[in-house]
Amino acid sequence: MARVRTVRSLGVVGLVLAAAVTAGCSGSSSGPPAASHASSGSGSTSTSTSTAGGSAAPAPTESNPPGDIPDNQAYVAFRPAGGGFTVKVPEGWARTGQGGTTVFTDKLNRVEIATASASSAPTVASVGSEVVSRLRGQVPKFDGPKVSQVNRHAGSAVLLKYQGDSAADPVTGKVVRDAFERYAFYRQGHEVDLTLSGPVNADNVDPWRIVTDSFSWK
């Protein structure tokens, strides 16, 4: 009887040991997946960071500042009905005319060509007194007039630079601060005033040079 109890005791101990071993194995086997999961998470973060750091951000789309005339702008020759001269103007701009004045406009820029008879050639002094005085009463917030003698392909011209406010936009009501360049060309009793204007921050030096250098008497 004692032997039977001993065998039973050993059997119970064996079962306990077996259960402990099984639990240990189960615990040890559950460890690696957890470690593997942590490793996988770390790897995923590393890959994501590498991808974000390695891919270059797309280049921003460039656009011309307000009033800038594109570098690829094409130009066409304009000749008034009465002849006498030609000048290149930007192609595609809207055209209006009244009397001896023709205007080409596009967005915020403007080219005005005015013809008149004159008994004498304009001078720095005459433009500085007569023209400036007249424009003060016509251009809103007229300011900073500077008069000088310049040379273009057609010959000498009197240049008047100044600033002023544009007319209010009929839709938005916005007013733009404009920079003006007014060139006065003269030959044998005929004067042509070529006025170019656009926002003060626009860089239209090259386009305006193309227009003014293209002027020629015919």
Side-chain angles (χ1 to χ4, degrees):
M1 190 68 170
R3 185 176 181 180
V4 171
R5 289 178 180 174
T6 302
V7 171
R8 287 179 179 176
S9 298
L10 291 173
V12 172
V13 172
L15 290 173
V16 171
L17 290 173
V21 171
T22 302
C25 292
S26 175
S28 63
S29 64
S30 65
S36 173
H37 178 72
S39 174
S40 173
S42 173
S44 174
T45 302
S46 174
T47 302
S48 174
T49 302
S50 174
T51 301
S55 61
T61 301
E62 295 184 4
S63 61
N64 294 314
D68 272 21
I69 299 173
D71 292 337
N72 61 352
Q73 172 67 55
Y75 298 83
V76 294
F78 164 73
R79 184 172 184 174
F85 68 91
T86 61
V87 62
K88 288 183 179 180
V89 296
E91 184 178 28
W93 286 22
R95 173 180 171 179
T96 57
Q98 184 175 4
T101 301
T102 304
V103 178
F104 296 88
T105 57
D106 179 68
K107 300 181 180 67
L108 302 176
N109 294 302
R110 190 172 188 268
V111 175
E112 178 182 300
I113 306 166
T115 60
S117 297
S119 58
S120 60
T123 64
V124 171
S126 67
V127 170
S129 59
E130 300 169 14
V131 177
V132 168
S133 178
R134 183 173 73 249
L135 291 177
R136 283 190 188 278
Q138 297 175 344
V139 180
K141 296 184 179 180
F142 178 90
D143 189 39
K146 295 180 180 179
V147 188
S148 62
Q149 194 89 19
V150 296
N151 289 316
R152 289 296 184 264
H153 287 169
S156 179
V158 178
L159 169 61
L160 168 61
K161 290 186 176 183
Y162 59 96
Q163 291 186 7
D165 283 358
S166 69
D169 186 280
V171 178
T172 65
K174 291 183 178 180
V175 174
V176 177
R177 188 65 176 169
D178 282 339
F180 295 80
E181 293 184 9
R182 179 187 184 275
Y183 294 79
F185 295 91
Y186 177 85
R187 189 180 75 165
Q188 298 175 356
H190 299 284
E191 181 175 337
V192 177
D193 299 323
L194 185 58
T195 304
L196 319 169
S197 62
V200 292
N201 293 324
D203 181 10
N204 288 331
V205 174
D206 291 339
W208 290 160
R209 184 75 189 213
I210 290 173
V211 173
T212 57
D213 261 344
S214 72
F215 180 88
S216 63
W217 296 104
K218 297 296 182 183

